Amino acid sequence: MALDTRALADLAAHDDFISRHNGPRSEDVAAMLAVLGEHDFAGLLDKTIPADIRLGRELALEAPKGERETLSYLKSLAKRNKVFKSYIGMGYYDTLMPAVITRNVLENPGWYTAYTPYQPEISQGRLEALLNFQQVIIDFTGMELANASLLDEATAAAEAMALCARANKKARSCNAFFAASDLLPQTLDVLRTRAAYLGFELIIDRPERIQEHQVFGALFGYPAEQGEIHDLRALIELAHAQEAMACVSADLMSLALLEAPGRFKADVVLGNSQRFGVPMGFGGPHAAYFAVSDALKRSIPGRVIGVSRDSQGNQALRMAMQTREQHIRREKATSNICTAQALLANLAGFYAVYHGAEGITRIASRIHRLTHLLAEGLAAKGVTRVNRHYFDTLTVEGLEVEAVRGRALAAGINLRYREDRRIGISLDETTTAQDLQALFDVLLGAEHGLGVAELDRLHRDGHGLPIQALRQSEFLTHPTFKRYRSETEMLRYLKRLENKDLSLAHAMIPLGSCTMKLNATTEMIPVTWPEFADIHPFAPRDQVSGYLQLIDELSHALLEVTGYDALSMQPNSGAQGEYAGLVAIRRYQAAQDQGHRDVCLIPSSAHGTNPASAAMAQMKVVVVECDSLGNIDIDDLRAKAEQHAERLSAIMLTYPSTHGVFEARVREACEIVHAQGGQVYIDGANMNAQVGLCRPGDFGGDVSHLNLHKTFCIPHGGGGPGMGPIGVKAHLAPYLPNHAVTPLEGIEPDSHAVSAAAYGSASILPISWAYIKMMGARGLREATELAILNANYIAKRLDGHFEVLYKGESGRVAHECIIDVRPLKAISGVSEEDIAKRLIDYGFHAPTMSFPVAGTLMIEPTESESRYELDRFCDAMIAIREEISRVESGEWPRDDNPLVNAPHTQRDLSGEWSHPYSRDTACFPSAATRMAKFWPAVNRVDNVFGDRNLVCSCAPIDAYRD
Ligand SMILES: *Cc1c(COP(=O)(O)O)cnc(C)c1O
C-alpha cells in the first residue's frame, strides 16, 4: 500500500508544540500585520532589525520534536543518571518533600509562573509565604531580621563578607577577612573569587587561630565541614575582641538541636535551606538564607518582605526598602541580587509550616540519633573518628578506602571520599535503621557487621552534641506553624494563598524586560523526576552522565543561538552571569598584563544590575549618555572610550536596548570599544528579540549572559529560581568559573567559582533543553518574530491614546515598547503607578514601572500571548486612558477617582460608598471582569508606612484575632 506522505505530515503536525507555545494563530498574524501596514514578516523585520547584523540563515539545530517524543528522549537521558543513596553531605542532603507541597506548589503554575511581587496587591499569597520563610530563619538563627532568600550558600557567604566591609568601621583601616579553613570547600572557592575583586585579603586558617590575624570580619562553619561542632560562643568572642564582625554559616536542620547563633551574638548567620524539603537537584535551585542583627537591618543584601498596611488600614505585605532596590542605587547598590530563589524559599517555608517545631525537632533528633548509633558502632569496632562532636556528619580515618568504595558502589551508596583519605558520612531525614545496617556493612565489611537494634539499646541516652550548645530557645511558636498540620488544613492554606496571587494562569503579565512567556507543562514535568531531583552535585561523574549529556546538548544549542565558542552554566541568575562575565574579562586582561584596565562603560539606560555587577568586579563605572531617540550617543561613547583608553576594560551593552529598540549602530559601538583595547559585554536579557534573527557573538560581543528564566522558559517562580549561563568567545574560555570540588575541563585551575555548584541550578535545565528541542530552529525563529509582532501590534493599538517612546529609525519597536505617562500626569495628576493599580481592577498585572525611564510603563507581551489577550489588554489600557480624560476634564476630582483609588477589593462592594463613581465602575470596569473577576486581596499598599515601621516577621498573634 502506498503511503500518502502529506497525510503523514498532517499527523506529525498534531503534536506540533510550536503552535502551542505561540499565541497568535496564522489568521491573526495576517490581520495583525495588516494593522501595522505590512504585507509579511519580512517587511516588519527589515524595518526593525539592522540589515548588517541579520543572521541570514536558519540556526543549525535539530528539527523540532513533539511533546511526547521530547519527554521520552528526556526520560532516556534521565535513566542514565544513577540515583544512589547519598551520604556525601557537604551542604546537600536528601529530603522528603511533603507530597501536598510538591503537587500544590512546586508542580503548580499558580505558584511557579508568578513574578517577583512588585505589585503587592496581587501578590499577598507569596508575600505571606516568603514572610513565613523569613520567620523560620529568624527563629532558627535567633537573629532579628532575615531576607527572603539569596542564590546559594556560597554566594550568601560572599555577601556576608561584603556586608562586614560596608558595616564595620574597622574595614577602613584593615582589608582582611577571615574564613575558617573548615568551611565547605565550595564556599571557600566562591569567597576567593569575590575577595579578589573586592580587594580583600582572604585569610583561611583554623577557626581558633583568628586571634593570630587582624581582620574586619570572620566566617565560621557551624557545624564545620568535617562535622565538628565548635564552641561558637568562644569563636564569636574572639572575633568581637578585635572588633571584627562574626558571621556563621549554619546548617538549618542542626539548629533544631543546637542553640541559635544569635544567642552567641553572631552578626550574620547564613546557609542553605535545601534540606527543608527541597530536592538536591544536582546542585540547585535552593534558597540560601541570610539573617542579621538589628544593627545591620538596613544594609542587608537581597529582598526583604515587610509588613505594612493598605489604604483602608488593613494589614498588607510588601517588599520592604524598595527604594534601595538595585536599579535605583546602580553602582552604589549593596549587591547585584535581582532574581533570587523565591519559589524555593516558599517550599522551605511550607515544609516548616507543615512540620512545625515538634515535627522538625523530631526529624532532627532522628537524624542525630541514627548518627549517634553509627558513631558508637564504628567506635566499638575501633574506627577512628576525626570530629569529637557531631550532629549528622562523621569523618573517619584509617579505613581501606578502595575496599569501602567498592562495597559502597555495589550497594548503591555514595560516601564522601576526601583527598586526605578520610571518609565523610552525613545522614539525613531519609536515612532509616536498615540504611544504617547497610552503612555498617559497607564501612566495616559484612562479616564484621553490627546489630543496629542492639546498639540502640546500649546507647539509649547518649548523644554527640556539646552540652553547652544544646538548644534552649524556642522556635516556630507563631500560630502559622501550628495550624496547618493536617493535610486538609495544609491544602486549604496553600490554595488560599495561591488564590491571592495573579500568575500567568490568570492573565498576561506584560512586564517589560522580564519576558513572561509560556512555561509549558511538558517542559516542567521532568523537574520532579527522581533521576533529576535526587542527585547530589558532587556525585561521581559516571553516575550523572544523563545530566552531563543534557548540559552538553543545551550548551551547544545556546552557543549556536548566541554565536559564542564556550559556555558556563554556573551563574544562578542574570546578574550572577554579569559578574562571572566581567570577572572572566578581568582574568583575561590580567593574563595579558592588562590588569590595570578597570573602567567599565555603561549606558545611562542600563539595568541596575549592570553597574552593580561592575562595582562588585571592582570596576570604575563611566556612564555613556543616550540621545533623544533612546540610542547610545555614539559620539559620547567614542569620546569616553578615547578618554579612558588606557584603563578601558569593557562596555556593558543591552541589545536590543532597554529602550526596546534594535540600535542601528551596535556594530560600530562594539568596534569603538575594541579599538581601544576593551571587551564587549552584551547583556542577553533581551535575547527574546534576537533568537534566530541575529547573534551577539556575530556583531561584536565577547561575552553575554542569557536569562534562561526569561527567553528560555524557566518560570520566574515569584522571584526565582533563575539561570544566567554565560557564552564567551574562545579567548575568554579559560577564564570561565571553575569549581573546587568538581573541576571543569579547559578552564584555568585558579579561575575560582562564582556559585556553590559547578552547573548552578542544574535541575531546571531540562526546561530550557525541552523548549529548544520542541521548537527547533524554525520554532525559535518564529517565536522571536511573533514576539516582535506582538510588541509592535500593542504599540500600534495604543498609539494615539498614549505616547510611545523610542521607536527605531523606521518607527518600529523590538519586542517591547515604552509608553510615556509623564504628559498625562502633567494634565491629570494620574501617575504610572495609578495606571498600574487600575490595571489590576481590569484583571491584569502592570507592565514594568519607571524602568528604564521614570514615569513610563514598559510593555513586553512575548510571543505566547494570543491576539485575544493582546486586544483585551489594549482595550483595558484604552479604557483607562478614557478614565484619565474624565479626570483631566474635571468630571472626577483629582484626589477621588477610580485611578487614584485603585485597586478596589471585594470589601469595596459593601459598606459606605461616597465616591463620585459607582461600585460597578470601580470593580467591574470591563465585560471580561463581569464574566470572571480576579480580586486583589488588599487595597493600595502604603509603601512609606512600611519602610518607616520596618516589621519583617510574621504579624503578632493579635493580628489573627477578630
Ligand atoms: C532581568 C535583567 C537582568 C538581571 O537578571 P536577573 O536574572 O534578574 O539577575 C539584567 N539585565 C536586564 C536588561 C534584565 O532585564
Side-chain angles (χ1 to χ4, degrees):
M1 201 178 93
L3 282 175
D4 178 342
T5 48
R6 222 191 49 224
L8 268 185
D10 285 349
L11 284 177
H14 184 64
D15 189 21
D16 167 24
F17 174 74
I18 300 170
S19 70
R20 303 294 186 191
H21 175 83
N22 291 330
R25 305 296 91 194
S26 49
E27 60 274 20
D28 297 325
V29 171
M32 290 160 74
L33 283 167
V35 169
L36 293 174
E38 300 287 353
H39 297 294
D40 52 18
F41 261 114
L44 174 63
L45 298 178
D46 286 348
K47 292 202 187 76
T48 309
I49 309 177
D52 69 340
I53 63 165
R54 289 288 290 275
L55 178 59
R57 64 169 173 87
E58 202 82 294
L59 291 169
L61 296 170
E62 279 172 46
K65 288 188 165 55
E67 297 187 48
R68 197 175 168 143
E69 196 187 351
T70 298
L71 277 182
S72 65
Y73 180 47
L74 205 44
K75 194 77 197 181
S76 73
L77 276 187
K79 289 238 165 75
R80 290 171 51 189
N81 292 335
K82 297 196 190 110
V83 186
F84 274 31
K85 185 95 193 93
S86 174
Y87 298 99
I88 299 171
M90 302 177 79
Y92 303 95
Y93 299 85
D94 202 1
T95 177
L96 302 169
M97 182 185 283
V100 64
I101 298 175
T102 310
R103 174 154 295 184
N104 294 289
V105 184
L106 179 55
E107 296 179 342
N108 179 353
W111 284 95
Y112 66 68
T113 68
Y115 194 70
T116 304
Y118 283 135
Q119 298 294 332
E121 297 84 0
I122 49 175
S123 313
Q124 291 292 307
R126 58 192 187 281
L127 285 165
E128 180 169 331
L130 290 170
L131 194 74
N132 291 346
F133 173 80
Q134 290 177 181
Q135 184 71 55
V136 171
I137 301 309
I138 288 170
D139 284 4
F140 274 83
T141 61
M143 303 301 281
E144 271 100 11
L145 183 88
N147 72 15
S149 77
L150 289 178
L151 293 166
D152 63 26
E153 177 165 344
T155 53
E159 295 290 346
M161 173 171 66
L163 173 57
C164 291
R166 282 200 303 278
N168 189 351
K169 279 199 207 84
K170 188 180 177 186
R172 290 180 204 157
S173 58
C174 162
N175 79 334
F177 185 79
F178 180 88
S181 51
D182 54 10
L183 286 162
L184 294 168
Q186 67 270 24
T187 299
L188 290 173
D189 207 16
V190 171
L191 283 175
R192 284 191 174 97
T193 306
R194 289 276 187 102
Y197 293 99
L198 290 170
F200 302 147
E201 181 193 353
L202 185 67
I203 294 170
I204 300 175
D205 203 346
R206 291 203 312 278
E208 68 280 4
R209 285 181 46 85
I210 182 176
Q211 5 182 20
E212 311 296 318
H213 310 279
Q214 268 304 319
V215 294
F216 64 78
L219 177 63
F220 306 108
Y222 195 63
E225 59 104 35
Q226 301 198 2
E228 187 58 81
I229 301 168
H230 295 303
D231 183 349
L232 197 56
R233 185 193 302 272
L235 292 176
I236 291 173
E237 278 171 6
L238 285 179
H240 286 169
Q242 60 161 290
E243 276 161 27
M245 290 175 105
C247 312
V248 181
S249 179
D251 173 82
L252 211 48
M253 188 63 83
S254 72
L255 294 183
L257 306 184
L258 294 174
E259 189 51 279
R263 289 288 171 118
F264 304 136
K265 305 214 160 34
D267 298 291
V268 180
V269 186
L270 60 98
N272 194 351
S273 66
Q274 178 265 319
R275 69 192 305 185
F276 275 28
V278 180
M280 292 183 284
F282 197 41
H286 315 130
Y289 71 83
F290 197 94
V292 297
S293 61
D294 196 58
L296 297 175
K297 69 182 181 188
R298 290 194 187 261
S299 36
I300 188 171
R303 292 174 170 149
V304 181
I305 308 308
V307 182
S308 185
R309 60 183 188 197
D310 73 1
S311 58
Q312 308 292 316
N314 296 308
Q315 184 192 297
L317 307 176
R318 59 183 277 277
M319 290 202 291
M321 303 179 281
Q322 275 197 65
T323 43
R324 39 132 267 196
E325 275 270 313
Q326 63 286 344
H327 57 253
I328 297 174
R329 296 288 305 274
R330 295 177 62 92
E331 67 269 26
K332 294 198 186 66
T334 38
S335 84
N336 68 344
I337 298 289
C338 181
T339 290
Q341 301 282 18
L343 185 69
L344 298 308
N346 288 339
L347 293 171
F350 286 138
Y351 177 95
V353 166
Y354 199 41
H355 287 302
E358 297 79 6
I360 291 180
T361 304
R362 199 176 337 105
I363 292 166
S365 303
R366 211 181 138 273
I367 294 171
H368 183 64
R369 175 108 207 111
L370 288 168
T371 311
H372 178 60
L373 295 180
L374 182 65
E376 291 296 331
L378 293 176
K381 292 288 180 178
V383 177
T384 312
R385 190 177 73 236
V386 176
N387 50 322
R388 172 152 175 256
H389 293 110
Y390 51 84
F391 164 63
D392 64 1
T393 297
L394 307 177
T395 300
V396 297
E397 61 186 5
L399 294 174
E400 290 267 0
V401 177
E402 286 320 309
V404 170
R405 195 199 299 263
R407 288 192 294 264
L409 290 175
I413 283 175
N414 286 333
L415 302 168
R416 178 179 179 196
Y417 305 102
R418 304 165 51 96
E419 274 172 17
D420 55 11
R421 303 197 59 75
R422 291 170 173 172
I423 294 177
I425 314 133
S426 295
L427 274 52
D428 59 50
E429 71 165 314
T430 70
T431 313
T432 63
Q434 286 86 333
D435 291 330
L436 209 54
Q437 197 67 65
L439 267 177
F440 279 130
D441 290 350
V442 161
L443 291 166
L444 303 167
E447 62 277 16
H448 306 291
L450 274 169
V452 173
E454 197 184 339
L455 273 175
D456 192 31
R457 249 190 327 278
L458 284 173
H459 300 280
R460 198 75 324 160
D461 300 324
H463 65 76
L465 304 166
I467 300 294
Q468 77 282 4
L470 290 182
R471 181 138 194 154
Q472 308 293 333
S473 53
E474 285 190 310
F475 54 93
L476 306 188
T477 55
H478 194 273
T480 303
F481 302 102
K482 296 184 171 152
R483 247 200 211 170
Y484 310 110
R485 308 288 264 281
S486 74
E487 184 166 330
T488 301
E489 284 293 344
M490 187 68 185
L491 174 66
R492 289 177 189 158
Y493 181 54
L494 296 176
K495 186 55 76 177
R496 194 157 71 238
L497 294 188
E498 180 194 344
N499 285 347
K500 292 182 180 184
D501 288 10
L502 189 137
S503 71
L504 284 176
H506 299 98
M508 78 187 278
I509 300 181
L511 284 165
S513 214
C514 301
T515 314
M516 297 297 287
K517 55 162 69 174
L518 171 73
N519 315 116
T521 314
T522 293
E523 293 155 7
M524 294 301 294
I525 282 175
V527 172
T528 45
W529 288 348
E531 298 92 337
F532 288 128
D534 298 338
I535 306 284
H536 192 286
F538 308 149
R541 281 179 81 84
D542 61 2
Q543 292 174 21
V544 296
S545 62
Y547 254 126
L548 296 178
Q549 168 97 23
L550 180 136
I551 289 167
D552 196 51
E553 289 185 18
L554 179 58
S555 303
H556 276 99
L558 294 175
L559 291 176
E560 169 64 7
V561 164
T562 52
Y564 287 112
D565 303 316
L567 190 118
S568 168
M569 284 291 179
Q570 203 170 105
N572 277 317
S573 72
Q576 286 296 104
E578 292 168 16
Y579 177 70
L582 294 176
V583 166
I585 288 174
R586 300 217 68 180
R587 284 174 179 157
Y588 165 76
Q589 288 172 338
Q592 313 287 308
D593 284 332
Q594 299 284 306
H596 63 279
R597 289 186 176 268
D598 65 351
V599 166
C600 189
L601 302 176
I602 301 184
S604 58
S605 61
H607 192 266
T609 54
N610 289 187
S613 299
M616 279 169 59
Q618 223 186 20
M619 292 165 115
K620 185 175 169 315
V621 175
V622 172
V623 176
V624 179
E625 300 305 331
C626 289
D627 64 21
S628 61
L629 295 171
N631 295 318
I632 292 180
D633 181 334
I634 294 280
D635 294 334
D636 191 48
L637 170 61
R638 195 185 310 278
K640 287 192 170 135
E642 278 165 14
Q643 183 192 340
H644 298 283
E646 186 70 10
R647 285 176 59 188
L648 182 60
S649 176
I651 187 169
M652 294 185 89
L653 283 178
T654 303
Y655 203 73
S657 75
T658 53
H659 289 152
V661 176
F662 283 96
E663 281 163 293
R665 297 169 73 182
V666 66
R667 252 183 204 283
E668 195 182 342
C670 297
E671 279 157 16
I672 289 171
V673 173
H674 281 147
Q676 303 297 347
Q679 296 279 299
V680 176
Y681 187 103
I682 297 190
D683 180 327
N686 289 345
M687 237 5 247
N688 210 45
Q690 294 187 68
V691 179
L693 301 179
C694 60
R695 313 193 303 174
D698 291 347
F699 58 75
D702 296 294
V703 41
S704 293
H705 74 260
L706 299 171
N707 304 64
L708 298 190
H709 48 295
K710 293 179 181 172
T711 310
F712 297 95
C713 298
I714 290 174
H716 278 70
M723 269 296 275
I726 53 173
V728 295
K729 285 288 166 101
H731 64 281
L732 293 177
Y735 309 102
L736 289 170
N738 209 328
H739 195 269
V741 186
T742 47
L744 302 166
E745 260 173 56
I747 297 179
E748 293 284 314
D750 58 355
S751 280
H752 296 291
V754 298
S755 300
Y759 304 103
S761 298
S763 70
I764 50 177
L765 294 178
I767 301 168
S768 299
W769 179 96
Y771 173 61
I772 292 171
K773 284 280 157 188
M774 294 192 290
M775 296 294 274
R778 175 175 65 86
L780 290 175
R781 175 181 46 76
E782 284 177 12
T784 310
E785 291 170 355
L786 286 169
I788 293 172
L789 175 66
N790 278 358
N792 277 288
Y793 179 75
I794 288 186
K796 181 78 185 175
R797 277 217 55 200
L798 296 183
D799 202 18
H801 304 278
F802 295 91
E803 192 174 316
V804 176
L805 269 185
Y806 307 133
K807 293 177 184 165
E809 285 170 3
S810 51
R812 296 290 180 224
V813 298
H815 66 312
E816 55 196 3
C817 66
I818 300 176
I819 60 172
D820 195 351
V821 182
R822 290 167 297 187
L824 296 177
K825 187 168 183 181
I827 55 174
S828 67
V830 172
S831 69
E832 71 282 7
E833 188 178 21
D834 298 328
I835 297 178
K837 303 305 179 191
R838 184 62 174 152
L839 271 169
I840 296 174
D841 285 336
Y842 282 82
F844 287 99
H845 194 290
T848 296
M849 267 166 52
S850 289
F851 171 78
V853 185
T856 64
L857 294 169
M858 180 157 61
I859 305 166
E860 180 183 1
T862 84
E863 70 280 7
S864 296
E865 295 303 337
S866 65
R867 186 186 183 195
Y868 171 84
E869 187 70 353
L870 300 181
D871 280 335
R872 205 168 72 86
F873 175 75
C874 291
D875 291 345
M877 288 296 291
I878 292 165
I880 288 172
R881 178 65 188 87
E882 281 157 13
E883 292 175 350
I884 295 172
S885 297
R886 294 167 75 175
V887 180
E888 186 189 339
S889 71
E891 181 184 339
W892 286 331
R894 284 189 171 212
D895 61 352
D896 189 5
N897 60 65
L899 292 133
V900 296
N901 294 334
H904 300 84
T905 63
Q906 271 174 324
R907 276 187 257 184
D908 288 319
L909 292 179
S910 67
E912 287 284 301
W913 187 262
S914 57
H915 302 294
Y917 56 97
S918 72
R919 293 188 212 258
D920 251 359
T921 303
C923 298
F924 303 105
S926 65
T929 52
R930 287 188 285 276
M931 284 193 298
K933 172 76 185 173
F934 180 88
W935 289 104
V938 294
N939 291 96
R940 186 145 349 160
V941 175
D942 186 336
N943 288 323
V944 177
F945 180 84
D947 278 351
R948 285 220 183 105
N949 309 275
L950 198 56
V951 175
C952 303
S953 49
C954 287
I957 295 165
D958 284 350
Y960 287 74
R961 297 212 179 96
D962 276 338

